[in-house]
Amino acid sequence: DAGITQSPRHKVTETGTPVTLRCHQTENHRYMYWYRQDPGHGLRLIHYSYGVKDTDKGEVSDGYSVSRSKTEDFLLTLESATSSQTSVYFCATGGGSPLHFGNGTRLTVT
Amino acid sequence: TQLLEQSPQFLSIQEGENLTVYCNSSSVFSSLQWYRQEPGEGPVLLVTVVTGGEVKKLKRLTFQFGDARKDSSLHITAAQPGDTGLYLCAGGWSTSGTYKYIFGTGTRLKVLA
């Protein structure tokens, strides 16, 4: 267990509001990733980080931003939430080794 | 763009039957992982294969990496209800010194007692 905590676990928000999801790791892994999981699409990469303040876009990055000011924390922000962003969001750590996942955040945008 | 196709999407079988899940791509991967996911939890690693032609066994589960490192299979012998879950394959590669992973769409397995 890589000691990954995601918060909150569940959130309901309204369209147009900003939302921030947090991922905290205790294993000092260099790489951190944000994925979203939707039926029929599997896990799709939103953004990833390869070090403090070093981030890059994944395949579905539109409408999302990230920040990593400390090794242990990786934040995902939905700048203005839309219904299409209703999903389960997973944080993972790794890079050069198998990924370790948190237990996800279920986000509903109404 | 890397793409990983997984089949079948759904599988419902009786206890004791055998099954195979396939993961195919036109891209070459440095590594291929298989994960299993339970409801309300994140995926958990089952195995990593890195060498073309590699075969790994984990009790009743057999994993194989294709010779060209573009495809993989997961074979379960004598499936049990405890094998029920979502199985995901993931291909990993390094580009410009950074590591990325792409996932298949998953196989939802249900084993009936």
Side-chain angles (χ1 to χ4, degrees):
Chain A
D1 185 358
I4 302 171
T5 304
Q6 290 186 235
S7 59
R9 289 297 313 276
H10 301 271
K11 186 168 181 67
V12 180
T13 192
E14 293 185 349
T15 299
T17 60
V19 177
T20 296
L21 308 183
R22 180 178 183 247
C23 178
H24 179 79
Q25 62 142 333
T26 60
E27 296 297 312
N28 203 35
H29 286 161
R30 179 182 169 198
Y31 285 80
M32 298 185 76
Y33 305 81
W34 277 107
Y35 287 89
R36 59 178 289 175
Q37 187 173 37
D38 304 288
H41 291 279
L43 285 157
R44 292 181 291 175
L45 181 64
I46 305 171
H47 280 279
Y48 67 101
S49 169
Y50 47 96
V52 173
K53 296 186 180 178
D54 291 323
T55 64
D56 205 350
K57 296 179 179 180
E59 59 182 309
V60 290
S61 60
D62 288 348
Y64 301 94
S65 62
V66 290
S67 66
R68 191 162 178 209
S69 59
K70 297 185 291 184
T71 298
E72 56 266 35
D73 290 327
F74 193 30
L75 304 180
L76 176 71
T77 297
L78 287 65
E79 293 137 9
S80 177
T82 67
S83 58
S84 65
Q85 293 175 312
T86 291
S87 186
V88 181
Y89 292 86
F90 285 98
C91 173
T93 68
S97 60
L99 296 174
H100 297 270
F101 284 86
N103 283 330
T105 294
R106 183 173 295 276
L107 177 67
T108 303
V109 183
T110 62
Chain B
T1 302
Q2 308 280 48
L3 196 64
L4 204 50
E5 296 182 351
Q6 194 171 338
S7 62
Q9 270 194 295
F10 301 95
L11 200 51
S12 181
I13 61 172
Q14 294 292 324
E15 182 178 3
E17 292 184 0
N18 302 332
L19 67 114
T20 302
V21 178
Y22 299 93
C23 190
N24 295 293
S25 177
S26 58
S27 303
V28 176
F29 295 107
S30 302
S31 67
L32 199 294
Q33 290 103 39
W34 285 92
Y35 295 81
R36 181 177 153 191
Q37 186 179 17
E38 302 284 354
E41 298 179 6
V44 175
L45 179 73
L46 294 173
V47 78
T48 298
V49 285
V50 297
T51 304
E54 183 175 2
V55 177
K56 280 193 175 179
K57 292 190 175 184
L58 187 66
K59 296 184 180 178
R60 294 174 294 100
L61 279 60
T62 301
F63 305 86
Q64 185 162 5
F65 201 11
D67 291 341
R69 290 186 289 131
K70 294 181 179 181
D71 56 87
S72 181
S73 63
L74 157 61
H75 183 78
I76 301 179
T77 303
Q80 299 177 0
D83 295 327
T84 294
L86 178 66
Y87 290 82
L88 297 159
C89 62
W93 74 99
S94 175
T95 178
S96 302
T98 61
Y99 290 93
K100 291 187 180 181
Y101 301 86
I102 187 168
F103 282 79
T105 50
T107 295
R108 193 166 296 280
L109 172 66
K110 187 170 186 178
V111 183
L112 304 169

